[in-house]
Amino acid sequence: MQRQMDKDVLISRLYRTDFKRSIADVFRIQVVSNSDVRSPIITLGSTSFFHVRINNLYVVAVTKTNANAALVFEYCYRFINICKAYFGKIDEEAVKNNFVVIYELIDEINDFGYPQNSEIDTLKSYITTESIVSSSIAAAKSSKITTQATGATSWRRADVKYKKNEAFVDVIEIVNLSMSAKGTVLRADVDGHIQMRAYLSGTPECKFGLNDKLVIDKNEKGGTDAVELDDCRFHQCVRLNDFDASRTISFIPPDGEFELMRYRSTSNVKLPLRIIPSVTEVGTSQVQYTVTVKTNFNNKLSATNVVLRIPTPLNTTSVDCKVVTGKAKYVPGENVIVWKIARLQGGQECTLTATAALTITTTRQVWARPPIDVDFQVLMFTASGLIVRFLKVFEKSNYTSVKWVRYLTKADGSYQVRF
């Protein structure tokens, strides 16, 4: 782990004899000090450097073998998540204040360069920042730790207890759109994940049902109303055989919050908002705008925190904006009109009209017309059409549990319409 500003090595651990500590100097000179390097993987001779940057720190893995790149990056991001779980954040101060614990964690999750158990719940049971407990208590905990770390469910302790048993499921989707000036969809896809918070006693068995018409394999034929997922990745607790057979996710959940599933969808994407821009250049002195926003969901739902960033020419001096819904203003430092709508109900549409005044230039430059960027959030709506049919919890004590399911579709700088 290296610091970006003065390029010092904060944490270093070598697992193979074919490396020397001076390898960090090679990374500092060839990558950190070289502003032209953009790739997260750099190969110099027979040595490959895999790096992830976070808060002016570099987390670097080095190998001389033909390693699985996805596995290496998964390990780096897992290490970052473990540090966040332990220290709340990962920055230079956190690393310096907790370097002893970090060395313990690295040695526990890596053995001779091979990744080992990296479940946060398991690690926290025997690598702790608290004071040392008595030997009798430590012996009792040691037996439980061994069972958990080597058992069939290493991600969960068996003695978890809650007064109120609850399970929260969040289906979160980020919709990406690129639309041409003629209204043709150039790209429309969804990056989604299912986040779960399980506060359940004992060792419960959970069953989680998705759409009946769910197509995972591209060779399968789905109808126009089918939900097609191009790529699915599951938490290790999921029994994949059950999912392939019945589209039911069966699992014993980790305690607390975890990501159950991640997926992508590029077919039958439902676009929450439709943007209709009309931009006309009047000679060399004015640009007239008419931008209409229409919702594509029913009136029981609403879009919140809607923000449109409408580009203006570089030689714009002032903009006169008129809106009925929301607030619009010209931001000269960014050459955009920012239109903010706090809430937009389903079935509603609203329009912005604006006139931009331009300075007269001696040479006329062609305006590149960057796309309009749209940000928004829509609760209880999924752009992919994915829904949770049921969520059941089975436990030998047969307790009653409360289940909550929430859907959220949002765009954050990736929903663009050209004009």
Side-chain angles (χ1 to χ4, degrees):
M1 183 180 291
Q2 281 195 338
R3 186 166 46 176
Q4 184 189 12
M5 299 303 291
D6 49 14
K7 308 173 185 65
D8 286 346
V9 178
L10 298 178
I11 296 287
S12 175
R13 177 69 84 202
L14 301 180
Y15 291 98
R16 303 293 176 89
T17 56
D18 54 351
F19 282 117
K20 296 181 180 179
R21 295 201 179 275
S22 58
I23 195 69
D25 296 329
V26 177
F27 179 80
R28 185 183 72 245
I29 295 168
Q30 297 292 335
V31 179
V32 181
S33 300
N34 188 351
S35 59
D36 294 332
V37 173
R38 295 180 179 271
S39 173
I41 304 175
I42 302 296
T43 301
L44 303 172
S46 61
T47 305
S48 295
F49 297 87
F50 302 78
H51 67 275
V52 176
R53 184 175 161 188
I54 177 170
N55 294 338
N56 290 327
L57 296 178
Y58 285 93
V59 178
V60 189
V62 189
T63 181
K64 286 192 175 182
T65 63
N66 186 18
N68 183 331
L71 175 64
V72 176
F73 283 116
E74 177 66 23
Y75 176 83
C76 290
Y77 282 109
R78 188 69 66 91
F79 169 73
I80 291 170
N81 289 334
I82 290 170
C83 289
K84 287 180 179 178
Y86 266 81
F87 318 125
K89 60 180 179 178
I90 178 167
D91 57 15
E92 182 185 344
E93 183 182 2
V95 172
K96 285 184 174 179
N97 291 341
N98 300 280
F99 71 94
V100 174
V101 179
I102 291 175
Y103 273 119
E104 283 189 66
L105 289 168
I106 292 174
D107 288 339
E108 190 60 44
I109 65 179
N110 203 316
D111 185 16
F112 196 61
Y114 292 100
Q116 303 297 312
N117 190 351
S118 58
E119 285 297 327
I120 295 172
D121 191 41
T122 305
L123 292 170
K124 280 189 172 182
S125 63
Y126 56 91
I127 297 180
T128 175
T129 55
E130 297 174 1
S131 58
I132 299 173
V133 296
S134 66
S135 58
S136 60
I137 297 175
K141 286 189 70 176
S142 177
S143 175
K144 292 181 180 179
I145 291 167
T146 304
T147 303
Q148 182 182 351
T150 60
T153 55
S154 60
W155 54 86
R156 185 181 181 88
R157 304 192 318 273
D159 58 348
V160 179
K161 290 183 180 179
Y162 288 99
K163 289 183 178 180
K164 186 177 181 181
N165 294 285
E166 294 180 300
F168 300 86
V169 176
D170 288 325
V171 181
I172 302 171
E173 295 189 344
I174 298 176
V175 59
N176 307 303
L177 171 69
S178 180
M179 183 174 285
S180 73
K182 295 181 179 180
T184 305
V185 175
L186 305 176
R187 173 200 176 194
D189 58 70
V190 173
D191 294 319
H193 68 275
I194 299 177
Q195 198 77 13
M196 187 169 182
R197 287 174 291 156
Y199 306 117
L200 302 168
S201 303
T203 311
E205 173 83 20
C206 296
K207 285 197 174 181
F208 190 96
L210 299 175
N211 305 57
D212 290 323
K213 295 182 179 180
L214 188 65
V215 178
I216 304 296
D217 188 352
K218 288 186 177 180
N219 296 323
E220 296 180 35
K221 290 185 178 180
T224 55
D225 59 341
V227 176
E228 298 184 24
L229 304 183
D230 297 336
D231 180 27
C232 288
R233 288 180 291 160
F234 296 96
H235 189 277
Q236 68 183 64
C237 67
V238 176
R239 298 186 182 93
L240 297 179
N241 291 337
D242 293 346
F243 181 75
D244 290 337
S246 62
R247 296 294 183 251
T248 300
I249 302 175
S250 299
F251 59 98
I252 297 174
D255 183 38
E257 186 171 357
F258 66 100
E259 185 177 274
L260 179 65
M261 173 184 175
R262 184 170 286 273
Y263 60 91
R264 291 187 72 249
S265 177
T266 57
S267 302
N268 301 335
V269 175
K270 303 172 185 176
L271 300 175
L273 297 182
R274 184 184 174 198
I275 313 299
I276 307 171
S278 174
V279 180
T280 306
E281 296 182 46
V282 182
T284 59
S285 61
Q286 278 189 355
V287 177
Q288 294 180 345
Y289 296 84
T290 302
V291 180
T292 302
V293 181
K294 293 185 177 181
T295 57
N296 288 336
F297 44 84
N298 67 56
N299 56 15
K300 293 182 180 179
L301 306 179
S302 61
T304 58
N305 300 324
V306 181
V307 180
L308 282 78
R309 301 172 63 83
I310 306 164
T312 61
L314 296 178
N315 59 329
T316 301
T317 56
S318 62
V319 179
D320 179 28
C321 304
K322 294 179 181 179
V323 292
V324 176
T325 305
K327 296 180 180 180
K329 68 175 182 177
Y330 172 56
V331 182
E334 301 177 24
N335 285 300
V336 293
I337 301 168
V338 178
W339 183 15
K340 295 183 178 181
I341 306 170
R343 181 179 295 274
L344 194 59
Q345 204 67 29
Q348 185 181 356
E349 69 174 70
C350 50
T351 302
L352 170 143
T353 57
T355 301
L358 312 180
T359 56
I360 305 299
T361 57
T362 54
T363 57
R364 183 174 181 180
Q365 295 180 345
V366 178
W367 182 28
R369 293 199 175 201
I372 298 173
D373 284 339
V374 188
D375 296 345
F376 59 83
Q377 293 184 351
V378 185
L379 275 172
M380 306 312 291
F381 175 90
T382 56
S384 67
L386 190 76
I387 60 168
V388 178
R389 290 188 292 119
F390 62 84
L391 173 59
K392 298 178 181 178
V393 178
F394 305 96
E395 214 274 337
K396 58 185 179 182
S397 63
N398 203 26
Y399 57 68
T400 302
S401 58
V402 180
K403 282 88 69 176
W404 306 88
V405 179
R406 183 179 66 163
Y407 304 94
L408 174 64
T409 294
K410 60 182 180 178
D412 188 9
S414 58
Y415 202 91
Q416 299 183 332
V417 178
R418 295 193 172 275
F419 56 87

